[in-house]
Amino acid sequence: MNEIDWKNLPFGYSKTDYNVRCYYKDGKWGELEVSDSEFITMHMAATCLHYGQEAFEGLKAFTGIDGKVRIFRLEENAKRMIRSANGVMMAEVPVELFREVVLKAVKLNLKYVPPYGEGASLYIRPLLIGTGAQVGVKAAKEYLFMVFVGPVGPYFKEGFNPVKMQIVRDYDRAAPLGTGHIKVGGNYAASLRAGDRAHQDGFASCIFLDAREKKYIDEAGPANFFGIKGNTYVTPDSSSILPSITNMSMRVLAAEMGLKVVQRQVPVTELEEFDEVGACGTAAVISPICMIHDRDTGKEYKYCKNGQVGDISQKLYFKLKGIQEGTEPDIHGWNTIVE
Ligand code: PLP
Ligand code: COI
């Protein structure tokens, strides 16, 4: 393995030694298979290719200050993958199987877990796909669940430095009664054009609004949105956003810090009233937002005076990072230690 420049890793794919696979056939999951191939072979009529029967997850492992490797909130990702599987009629991966495959994939690639203090982590990507052949629009009878991993740096190149975001109204990533609340590939395909335009216009990402009325904030690209107003942590409640496990954790931490935590519709007009705003997710971690540009009205909402990240966003960031890296006590049992 070539020397890895941990400090300058992008958020992207890099090859590691092994991935772990498990096939569902005849109504049951088979034995785990370890592979050193980056490729999968499947039937050309596999439902994942034609009808979007696929879901994925994203979680991270960190090397702690004590040298131990911790995986953050593995069970929550497992439970979300069950909801995703149900949403597009795929075989469910039981929590125990999810845990076993994730742990095996991490253990087989331990040398790729970035050392403590490098600002990087091991990204874990579970994938569930319909591999059975169908030509009619029907669920497959066969599935592949697999996990690959790779070391990553921050999702937004700015890291913990503030990013700029663009509000879009001419694209939706998901419909109110569609699949926005589960982690299926189609949502990401639907977000590509708006995301690409936001990048070309100089923004880190776009902010999608509720598809029905275009009045409320939904999500910040591949991350949830949060705002701080006085002593209150506010985050959107919407049927078309992915329930972020990072956001779920931040709500707990915010409440423990004495903040009031509110999950409700967040009108775009309320952007004027926030002291701090940010995006949060496994890949995005906590990304403070310094400016939101509304491309339809031309309005700009500004935060982070003199380039400074707000106090509460900072406190939440360091608390979360501390729990993940073992410098803060894990009182809720969020980490799985890789033994
Ligand atoms: N929203 C979307 C659309 C995402 O893809 C993600 C990433 O998983 C998130 C939010 C953040 O969720 P989590 O914190 O569970 O990673
Ligand atoms: C994550 O935060 O894990 C994501 O899945 C975001 C993106 C890379 C799709």
Side-chain angles (χ1 to χ4, degrees):
M1 150 181 165
N2 296 328
E3 283 292 299
I4 298 176
D5 182 5
W6 304 110
K7 279 207 160 49
N8 294 305
L9 278 173
F11 185 91
Y13 177 80
S14 51
K15 186 178 181 324
T16 56
D17 294 344
Y18 301 105
N19 56 81
V20 183
R21 307 169 182 205
C22 188
Y23 292 90
Y24 181 91
K25 212 177 166 184
D26 301 325
K28 56 180 193 299
W29 289 102
E31 297 297 315
L32 303 203
E33 294 176 20
V34 173
S35 172
D36 61 3
S37 168
E38 292 172 280
F39 297 92
I40 49 186
T41 42
M42 71 176 102
H43 197 288
M44 63 187 175
T47 60
C48 65
L49 299 175
H50 299 258
Y51 303 128
Q53 263 202 312
E54 89 89 49
F56 67 101
E57 269 303 330
L59 60 164
K60 280 179 174 171
F62 304 84
T63 305
I65 192 160
D66 52 6
K68 291 185 181 162
V69 173
R70 291 167 171 76
I71 304 175
F72 190 64
R73 306 211 73 173
L74 185 158
E75 290 80 11
E76 289 303 326
N77 288 90
K79 288 195 263 174
R80 191 168 65 191
M81 188 168 245
I82 291 178
R83 297 200 298 273
S84 298
N86 275 316
V88 292
M89 288 191 69
M90 296 194 287
E92 288 177 11
V93 176
V95 175
E96 267 321 303
L97 177 61
F98 185 96
R99 178 201 307 278
E100 202 187 333
V101 179
V102 166
L103 278 169
K104 196 165 186 99
V106 173
K107 282 183 190 170
L108 286 168
N109 294 290
L110 268 184
K111 64 179 187 232
Y112 296 97
V113 186
Y116 174 75
E118 299 282 7
S121 57
L122 187 79
Y123 187 68
I124 305 167
R125 174 52 67 85
L127 176 70
L128 173 63
I129 57 176
T131 49
Q134 295 285 12
V135 174
V137 181
K138 275 190 251 147
K141 293 191 176 69
E142 292 174 11
Y143 294 86
L144 164 63
F145 172 56
M146 65 180 295
V147 174
F148 66 83
V149 302
V152 296
Y155 189 75
F156 297 126
K157 66 178 185 330
E158 291 83 350
F160 189 57
N161 296 318
V163 298
K164 295 180 187 163
M165 299 245 171
Q166 177 182 60
I167 295 178
V168 291
R169 287 187 186 73
D170 54 346
Y171 292 104
D172 295 317
R173 71 177 276 287
L177 299 177
T179 54
H181 62 296
I182 54 177
K183 205 163 167 61
V184 298
N187 299 336
Y188 297 83
S191 77
L192 286 174
R193 282 215 168 271
D196 186 60
R197 183 178 62 192
H199 287 150
Q200 283 184 26
D201 291 350
F203 298 89
S205 186
C206 55
I207 293 183
F208 292 102
L209 303 183
D210 77 285
R212 191 178 280 126
E213 290 186 84
K214 297 284 189 304
K215 238 168 100 178
Y216 304 100
I217 295 178
D218 246 5
E219 293 203 77
N224 275 184
F225 174 89
F226 70 92
I228 309 288
K229 200 197 278 188
N231 196 39
T232 308
Y233 177 98
V234 185
T235 192
D237 184 17
S238 160
S239 63
S240 51
I241 66 178
L242 190 76
S244 154
I245 295 160
T246 312
N247 192 351
M248 184 196 289
S249 310
M250 286 168 69
R251 293 198 298 275
V252 172
L253 300 178
E256 285 170 359
M257 284 174 191
L259 293 171
K260 191 173 161 207
V261 174
V262 186
Q263 231 181 325
R264 57 158 167 79
Q265 288 184 314
V266 178
V268 176
T269 49
E270 196 177 349
L271 286 176
E272 308 252 24
E273 298 167 24
F274 289 115
D275 305 318
E276 303 174 28
V277 296
C280 63
T282 298
V285 193
I286 295 175
S287 298
I289 299 174
C290 58
M291 195 267 268
I292 298 178
H293 179 247
D294 188 325
R295 61 185 300 284
D296 296 296
T297 65
K299 204 165 167 46
E300 283 189 357
Y301 302 89
K302 294 201 167 132
Y303 310 91
C304 307
K305 288 190 189 75
N306 308 319
Q308 284 292 102
V309 175
D311 286 349
I312 294 175
S313 302
Q314 284 206 38
K315 266 175 89 175
L316 285 166
Y317 174 81
F318 287 111
K319 185 85 189 172
L320 180 70
K321 189 167 173 309
I323 296 170
Q324 292 170 333
E325 297 182 342
T327 58
E328 292 276 346
D330 178 19
I331 59 171
H332 301 286
W334 286 343
N335 295 316
T336 299
I337 302 212
V338 180
E339 309 281 6

